[in-house]
């Protein structure tokens, strides 16, 4: 059953065009933003790209706690991941997320100092579908379901 649930969640993550990223703003209030669904490592890690000069980066430097939410409105299915964000500016991370057309936003290309990668690491999560909630934690890189 656990493997079947893992596959349902990963399928939802794969088919979501956008992902909702939530954090606490500089005043301590919730702030959310829709982000392009770019890359993930199963349930453990999710990557986003953004501008280094953005308010979002400033907020994460103050408090790196975050949530990520995937949703499929047609099937009334949702996945909430809770964890932390790490700001990455190394070449390997930037290359991982660089896409053709990003030059519009980052005129200096992949080495543009205003191009930043956000790496989200999951601590726990909750999957909702068909009136059922299934919770899990990530411990030692493994997903442990709380059924």
């Amino acid at each position: 059953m656990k493997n079947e649930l893992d596959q349902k969640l990963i399928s939802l993550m794969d088919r979501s065009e956008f992902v909702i990223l939530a954090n606490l703003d500089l005043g301590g209030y919730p702030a959310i933003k829709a982000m392009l669904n770019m890359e993930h490592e199963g349930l453990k890690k999710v990557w986003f790209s953004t501008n280094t000069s953005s308010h979002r980066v400033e907020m994460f430097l103050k408090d790196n706690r975050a949530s990520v939410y995937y949703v499929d409105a047609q099937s009334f299915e949702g996945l909430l991941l809770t964890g932390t964000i790490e700001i990455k500016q190394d070449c390997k991370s930037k290359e991982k997320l660089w896409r053709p057309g990003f030059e519009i936003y980052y005129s200096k290309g992949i080495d543009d100092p205003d191009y930043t990668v956000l790496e989200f690491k999951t601590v726990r999560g909750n999957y909702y579908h068909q009136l059922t909630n299934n919770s899990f934690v990530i411990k030692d890189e493994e997903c442990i379901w709380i059924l």
Side-chain angles (χ1 to χ4, degrees):
M1 174 161 178
K2 289 189 251 181
N3 193 34
E4 181 181 321
L5 277 172
D6 288 354
Q7 292 309 311
K8 283 183 180 182
L9 274 60
I10 291 168
S11 171
L12 174 59
M13 294 171 82
D14 288 341
R15 69 181 185 270
S16 296
E17 184 177 357
F18 296 99
V19 181
I20 305 300
L21 176 61
N23 62 291
L24 298 175
D25 71 13
L26 297 176
Y29 292 94
I32 61 170
K33 182 176 183 177
M35 304 286 284
L36 286 175
N37 185 8
M38 300 198 65
E39 298 277 338
H40 65 82
E41 184 183 316
L43 301 171
K44 298 180 281 187
K45 292 182 183 177
V46 180
W47 289 274
F48 304 98
S49 66
T50 194
N51 296 84
T52 309
S53 60
S54 72
H55 291 295
R56 187 99 11 209
V57 169
E58 182 182 5
M59 289 184 269
F60 283 126
L61 287 170
K62 182 179 177 191
D63 187 337
N64 72 340
R65 293 176 294 169
S67 291
V68 174
Y69 193 73
Y70 294 85
V71 63
D72 182 334
Q74 300 291 25
S75 63
F76 208 66
E77 188 175 5
L79 170 62
L80 172 66
L81 303 175
T82 303
T84 58
I85 288 279
E86 183 178 340
I87 297 165
K88 310 283 256 180
Q89 294 185 314
D90 60 284
C91 290
K92 186 177 179 182
S93 295
K94 287 182 169 191
E95 287 171 358
K96 180 181 189 70
L97 293 192
W98 186 260
R99 301 293 190 269
F102 272 19
E103 298 85 7
I104 296 169
Y105 308 104
Y106 310 107
S107 61
K108 296 178 183 173
I110 198 166
D111 296 320
D112 194 314
D114 200 36
Y115 173 52
T116 292
V117 171
L118 304 176
E119 181 182 85
F120 174 85
K121 294 180 182 175
T122 304
V123 174
R124 64 180 179 266
N126 186 75
Y127 172 65
Y128 177 83
H129 189 226
Q130 298 178 336
L131 301 175
T132 303
N133 281 293
N134 292 287
S135 296
F136 62 91
V137 295
I138 301 292
K139 186 171 182 174
D140 300 324
E141 298 286 317
E142 294 295 322
C143 179
I144 301 168
W145 286 94
I146 304 164
L147 301 174

